[in-house]
Amino acid sequence: MHRCKNCGVWIAHRHCPLCKRQLTEENVSLDMYPPYHSDVKRRNLKQRVFLFIAIFIISSSLLINLLTTPDQLWVFYIVGPVLYALLFINHTILSKAHAGSKIIFQVLALSAMLVVIDVAAGGTRWSVHYVIPFLVIVATLMVTIIILSKPMKWREYLGYMMTMISLGFIPVLLFLSALSYVLWPSAVTALYALLTFIGMGLFANKTMKNELVRRFHF
Amino acid sequence: MDQWYKIDNAGKIFHAVSGRANSSVFRIAMIMNSPVEEDKLQSALDDILKRLPMFAVKLGKGIFWDFLVENDKKLFVQEEHHFPCAPIDPIETNGFLFRVLYYNKRIAVEFFHSVTDGTGALEFLKALVYYYLLEQHALIENDGSVLDIEDPPSTYELDDSYYRYKSNHSVKNPREGHAFQVKGTPTEETMVVHGVMQSSDIQKAAKAYGVTITAYITSILIAAIYHEKLQYRLRKEEIKIAIPVNLRQMFPSKSLRNFFAVVNVGMQVEEHTTLEDIMAEISKQLQKKAEKEALQLGLNHHVKLQTMLAARFVPIFIKYYAIRYGYKSYGERTKTMTLTNLGNVQLPEQMMPYIERMEMVMYPTKKSPVNGGICSINDQFVISFARSIEEADVIRSFFQELTKTSGIDIEVYANDEG
């Protein structure tokens, strides 16, 4: 133990932690704290690398597009898939998020990408009419299968299930707002969501009620 | 398996404002007299979590408010390898909002502040260490100062005491002015400096000035900040220290959730101001602001903000945005630093030989990058400063001022090996 003349305190370290003056020649280790290392940084670095690659591809494509064929914006065919690939790698693969949230993000990202491609291809609305409704059905079915195969995880997935059910009614809303004019896929999705909701009500009445109460408490 | 809890009034704020630069995670630790045994600590943790279900929770996302829901997973004790008060990643902790860490002789609990406050965390740590010592076959007996895990959980422990004690007094909180803010070069990791001295020495030193220990330390801190930051400045901003007050002392409660208020004390220091002047002023303010009526008004104000019917139905992301704005503009700007004092910790006499001292580490924030925590046990009084900036000038100045004023021996150690 040495006294730091500058700070007036006793210290067992080699340097004073307050003024950084060296107090002793000896190598001392108090072992009060561990040496720090972080794996979060490594994961973040990977994610940043992929983000940079995505920005590089998009910006280069945009430049080439504007310099070569400015009247034909084919860059959107690249922007959508690249952004989707970025989410796929950074969220679905690299992040430790819950599987339920990964499924929901996939639905949203795929929908967004398809809408962008659809619009770029002339906007015939095939994405809104057919693909998005069935995407929602597939995702809801996936969550249902997970819940049925892992009854223990039932409560854990309930919130994601409810989100999926809510998403199930979006295609109908798109139809009502005239953004989509093919009714049957939207109606099928809404019916599927409604049936899932009724099924949950019948088979997990108490759990679902409890879940609704706590998620909507104010 | 369906138990859930509303987050208490203070807890809601921590949820809204926590982020990378503000973890809202505080640490209380006991330094034992022998290296910690992981398996025994794990057994003790498993036992007490059954008795304290309000801590065995994970975060649930709601539409209007988030909530805490029972977590049936296992919480593993971990050997410390990260800096103190790091943000809690629920994926890492199996969803739990706190960690139990050990390193060499230290047993530490780090709680996300929305779960509990210092008092609740201290009860948890006391019970954890008591049952850990029992696992080691220590001959100790509970004299009532530690929670008994044979008792069933009490509903009083789950109380949101803010609601229980809100009165109908109309509240009109005076707007507080901005205080001087410490600035520096941000660091990735939280640096901690602990100063250890004898409780009896510091008591004597405070008594010589006729003030409480909290007033004494706070005054020296204000003087240190002035000498280091404002002495040669034309604009003498007010230096204000935020001191959390345990409301259980005024409003009887057995709640293990948040139940505290924060009082800001401070003043504008001038060239001619003496340390005695600061002490007199701080003592006066502490007495006045910690009176029951003053705390009642603060408590009501706190509850009122969140129970306004119009505000209740606002979706949570908008609420959080508003709370964050209010916190940055009014909460954080009205203080220079937080100094929290857990006081002298009581444990069964037979436990004392096993414990060397305690540490209380208060997380730093962006606008308050240096914060202090105090606790004492076994005649060992420890002041810990956590900082998220490279500069240790204020902390150095504080210890210089303290040794000069009191003349007592202080041992200092840190987590960056000097």
Side-chain angles (χ1 to χ4, degrees), chain A residues 1 3 6 8-10 13 15 17-18 20 31-34 36 96 155 210 214-218, chain B residues 1-2 61-63 67 82 91 103-104 106 194 357 396 400 403 409-412 414-416 418:
Chain A
M1 196 79 87
R3 192 182 184 96
N6 180 54
V9 293
W10 292 92
H13 295 297
H15 295 89
L18 303 173
K20 304 296 177 204
D31 207 22
M32 286 303 299
Y33 282 98
Y36 300 132
K96 289 182 176 175
R155 272 189 323 141
N210 190 316
R214 62 199 187 193
R215 282 193 191 268
F216 286 87
H217 84 274
F218 48 87
Chain B
M1 294 308 288
D2 242 1
K61 296 269 179 203
I63 304 295
F67 52 91
H82 220 287
I91 290 164
Y103 184 76
N104 201 353
R106 178 190 293 111
H194 306 275
R357 63 177 178 274
R396 182 180 62 240
Q400 285 170 336
T403 46
D409 280 334
I410 301 171
E411 183 199 334
V412 166
N415 69 338
D416 61 345

Side-chain angles (χ1 to χ4, degrees), chain A residues 11-60:
Chain A
I11 287 150
H13 295 297
R14 195 175 174 192
H15 295 89
C16 171
L18 303 173
C19 67
K20 304 296 177 204
R21 281 174 172 76
Q22 188 171 327
L23 303 172
T24 172
E25 291 291 331
E26 301 156 42
N27 257 332
V28 276
S29 174
L30 265 185
D31 207 22
M32 286 303 299
Y33 282 98
Y36 300 132
H37 55 84
S38 162
D39 55 342
V40 175
K41 271 185 191 166
R42 265 201 299 274
R43 206 169 63 229
N44 283 349
L45 180 69
K46 266 191 203 167
Q47 291 176 327
R48 278 201 297 266
V49 167
F50 287 116
L51 177 66
F52 182 76
I53 291 169
I55 291 169
F56 173 77
I57 294 170
I58 290 170
S59 55
S60 318

Side-chain angles (χ1 to χ4, degrees), chain A residues 55 131 185 192 207 209:
Chain A
I55 291 169
V131 187
Y192 183 73
T207 318
K209 218 152 77 180

Side-chain angles (χ1 to χ4, degrees), chain B residues 3-44:
Chain B
Q3 187 67 45
W4 69 283
Y5 311 99
K6 289 181 182 181
I7 297 175
D8 59 68
N9 272 272
K12 285 170 180 166
I13 293 172
F14 294 116
H15 262 289
V17 303
S18 66
R20 268 190 60 166
N22 174 7
S23 69
S24 296
V25 173
F26 65 91
R27 167 187 288 206
I28 305 181
M30 279 197 197
I31 313 295
M32 311 302 287
N33 272 322
S34 57
V36 177
E37 296 176 84
E38 183 186 354
D39 54 336
K40 295 194 164 69
L41 186 63
Q42 184 67 58
S43 304

